[in-house]
Structures are given as structure tokens and as C-alpha cells.
Amino acid sequence: MKEKILLAGASGALGLEVLKLLHEQGKDVRALVHSADGADKVSDYTDDIWKADASEGNEIIKDITKDVSMVISTLGKSVSLFTDRGKSFMENDFYANSNILDDAKKNKVKRFLYVSIKGAEKALEYEVAKSHKMFEDALEASGLDYTIIRPVGFFSGLNDLAIMAKRKVIPIIGDGDSRTNSIHQKDLAKVVVRYLNEGPEILEVGGPLVHTRREMADMVADRIGGKVIPVPEKVAEWGMFLPEMVDDDISAKLKYFKYVTTNDMIGEKNGDITFEQYLSGLDLEKDLP
Ligand SMILES: NC(=O)c1ccc[n+]([C@@H]2O[C@H](COP(=O)([O-])OP(=O)(O)OC[C@H]3O[C@@H](n4cnc5c(N)ncnc54)[C@H](OP(=O)(O)O)[C@@H]3O)[C@@H](O)[C@H]2O)c1
């Protein structure tokens, strides 16, 4: 009998690319998604689809790992400023994944591959990092064989800049000198699949080219239009108090956005799709609201 893989977050920007690769390799995949839209996205690649809010407790996903030999989780709350609010980072990134892990332990799953975030261990004052790190700790303590991948930002995550560019303003916080090697989600999916059977406990993954935030903002402006506007760090911090008063979700996202854009975020080089190639492939009408 073929070994079954549970892919949690299978309909996400990264999860869907992982699902396509597993499908190409003829793997038997059970997909966990949250929404009806998510279920639609994965339906070309598997018939074994669970649609549930995994943060709601163990019962709702009881035995989701039955007959499963390994779990891959790309499940998490979107970091985009332009997506719906829904649940918190703690509820999705920590509780939902913890419920899956509990089920995996009960059903004696062999291996668990978790996609966390670069900076998870350093930036614990931010909810995004803290909830990923709390799950990393739970996974390490679980006794399961595991690999944790901490990626830098995905190109899909940089769509926020492209959306702002379409609205004519591209903000960069601080001097724009911080560097990163963001990665295409297709390239990251290849890294995930490379470590299916074995891998290091933790690895930090980035894309092929390192750019400053200013260079990236300029590339977005060249492709889409809009003006690059530097926002002094102090002004950005002050601006973050305003949403905090009305919306914890936006506030958590803005704070992490400031953290990642004002610190170097560089992971081991992987893949070959460049940010410029990604931008030139965007359909400005279809891909950006
Ligand atoms: N985007 C970035 O730049 C970036 C950078 C580094 C790390 N990461 C991390 O990588 C992971 C994947 O990111 P992504 O951009 O691919 O995310 P995404 O596009 O927002 O996809 C999230 C996936 O998780 C599912 N999901 C979310 N909450 C759920 C819940 N409570 N129960 C069941 N399913 C749930 C979603 O299902 P539906 O589609 O049905 O809603 C979707 O399949 C996240 O943990 C993120 O923090 C992202």
C-alpha cells in the first residue's frame, strides 16, 4: 500500500505548489483546507480533502492522520494586509498546528515537516514569530522525526507591495538598506519536497538573489508604477498604534512587516526564479485586486 501524506494548508500560496509536486510524483495526499474556495483549489490533485478549521479543537480533525505516514504543514494565517481578518496568528499558527500534531502523535505518524518563518526564534515580541516558535517547540518536544523550514518572505507575500503600487504608493520603512533574498513559492515547494524522507532539524531558506528593500521597491515601481515613499521608522512605529486601538490583526501584521523590512532576512540560497521574473509574469488585472 502507498504511504499517505497529510498536507495541511494545501490550498495556500505555498501549499498548492507543494501539492502539485507531490501529485506529479504520484504521492497519495490527504489535503487539509479551511474554506470552500480552498477545497476547490486542491480538487484537481486529490480526492481526499478535509475541510475544517483545525484551530477549533482536536475533535473536529479527529483521526485526520489515520493511515498517514508523514505530515507536511504549510498551514498558517496569511501575513498579507489585504486578506480577511479571521482568527489570530496564535489560533491558526499555533493551536491549529498543535491539534494536528496531537493527532499525529496518537496515530504514530513517523515524520512531520513544518514550514515556520525566518526570524521565529529572534523576534518573540511579535505575535507572528511567537506563534510559529511555540509550535516549533511543541514539535521538537513531540518525539517525532521532524524538519522545520524557516523561509524568508515568499514572492506571493510581496504582492502587498504590488497592490500598493497599483494604488500609486510603495512605502519603504527606514532607509531601505536592509537586504533579503525572497523566494518564489514554487522554488520553496521544491525545497519542502526535497526533505520529505529526511532532513536537518532546522533550516533557513531563501531565494537566488539578495536585494535591498529599496531595490525591490524600485523593481515594483518599474513594473507597476507608483512612487516609492520612504517612511521614517519612528513615524511607522507611531502609525502602528492607530490600528492597534481598533484591530489587533492589522497591528500584528504591520509590526512584523516593519521588523522584516528593517532587518536583514537572508536564508540559504535556493531556486532560480528571480523577483524581476516574478513581477514580469504578474497579470496586473487578474493577480492584483
Ligand atoms: N507568505 C510569506 O511571505 C511567508 C514567509 C515566511 C513564512 N510563511 C509561513 O508559511 C506558511 C504558509 O504561508 P502561505 O503564504 O502559503 O499562506 P496562505 O496562502 O495564507 O495559506 C494558508 C493555508 O492554511 C489554511 N488554513 C489557515 N488557517 C487554517 C485553519 N485554522 N484550519 C485549516 N486550514 C487553515 C488555508 O486554507 P484556506 O485556503 O481554505 O483558507 C491555506 O490552505 C504560513 O505559516 C506563513 O506564516 C509565509
Side-chain angles (χ1 to χ4, degrees), residues 7 14-27 29 45 185-194 196:
L7 175 59
L14 173 61
L16 195 57
E17 299 301 336
V18 174
L19 179 62
K20 288 177 189 169
L21 292 179
L22 295 174
H23 178 71
E24 272 169 35
Q25 293 183 5
K27 303 283 190 204
V29 181
Y45 308 100
Q185 49 284 0
K186 276 186 201 293
D187 280 337
L188 181 57
K190 288 184 193 161
V191 179
V192 171
V193 170
R194 195 188 305 153
L196 270 192

Side-chain angles (χ1 to χ4, degrees), residues 9 11-14 34-35 52-54 74-76 78 92 116-117 132 152 154:
S11 52
L14 173 61
H34 186 191
S35 63
D53 181 345
T74 62
L75 184 160
S78 170
N92 281 337
S116 176
I117 199 162
H132 275 298
V152 301
F154 313 164

Side-chain angles (χ1 to χ4, degrees), residues 8-15 32-39 41 52-56 73-79 87 89 91-93 96-97 114-118 128 132 150-158:
S11 52
L14 173 61
L32 170 63
V33 300
H34 186 191
S35 63
D37 263 9
K41 285 187 199 164
D53 181 345
S55 71
E56 292 280 304
S73 179
T74 62
L75 184 160
K77 179 178 169 65
S78 170
V79 289
K87 299 215 159 154
F89 286 102
E91 283 166 310
N92 281 337
D93 298 4
N97 281 303
Y114 179 61
V115 178
S116 176
I117 199 162
K118 167 89 178 146
V128 180
H132 275 298
R150 290 185 185 146
V152 301
F154 313 164
F155 291 166
S156 62
L158 292 161

Side-chain angles (χ1 to χ4, degrees), residues 49-201:
I49 303 170
W50 285 49
K51 184 171 86 59
D53 181 345
S55 71
E56 292 280 304
N58 289 324
E59 278 306 303
I60 205 158
I61 52 158
K62 186 167 186 283
D63 281 337
I64 193 164
T65 58
K66 192 163 188 307
D67 302 323
V68 161
S69 61
M70 92 164 282
V71 175
I72 303 173
S73 179
T74 62
L75 184 160
K77 179 178 169 65
S78 170
V79 289
S80 168
L81 295 167
F82 295 97
T83 52
D84 288 336
R85 294 184 56 206
K87 299 215 159 154
S88 67
F89 286 102
M90 200 51 79
E91 283 166 310
N92 281 337
D93 298 4
F94 178 62
Y95 288 116
N97 281 303
S98 298
N99 290 332
I100 297 168
L101 179 61
D102 286 345
D103 199 75
K105 286 195 281 191
K106 195 187 79 189
N107 282 302
K108 306 212 173 345
V109 165
K110 286 189 227 136
R111 181 162 162 73
F112 202 118
L113 204 156
Y114 179 61
V115 178
S116 176
I117 199 162
K118 167 89 178 146
E121 81 294 13
K122 291 198 186 106
L124 295 173
E125 67 270 40
Y126 301 99
E127 200 196 338
V128 180
K130 186 175 170 188
S131 39
H132 275 298
K133 181 67 171 71
M134 281 172 65
F135 182 73
E136 289 186 5
D137 292 346
L139 182 55
E140 280 178 55
S142 69
L144 266 59
D145 177 37
Y146 71 89
T147 290
I148 292 166
I149 297 182
R150 290 185 185 146
V152 301
F154 313 164
F155 291 166
S156 62
L158 292 161
N159 268 3
D160 278 10
L161 280 188
I163 295 168
M164 289 188 242
K166 212 172 154 184
R167 298 171 189 183
K168 302 292 174 229
V169 174
I170 309 163
I172 48 171
I173 301 179
D175 53 20
D177 287 343
S178 300
R179 297 169 316 135
T180 188
N181 58 338
S182 302
I183 185 165
H184 196 293
Q185 49 284 0
K186 276 186 201 293
D187 280 337
L188 181 57
K190 288 184 193 161
V191 179
V192 171
V193 170
R194 195 188 305 153
Y195 293 111
L196 270 192
N197 299 320
E198 56 181 1
E201 289 181 351

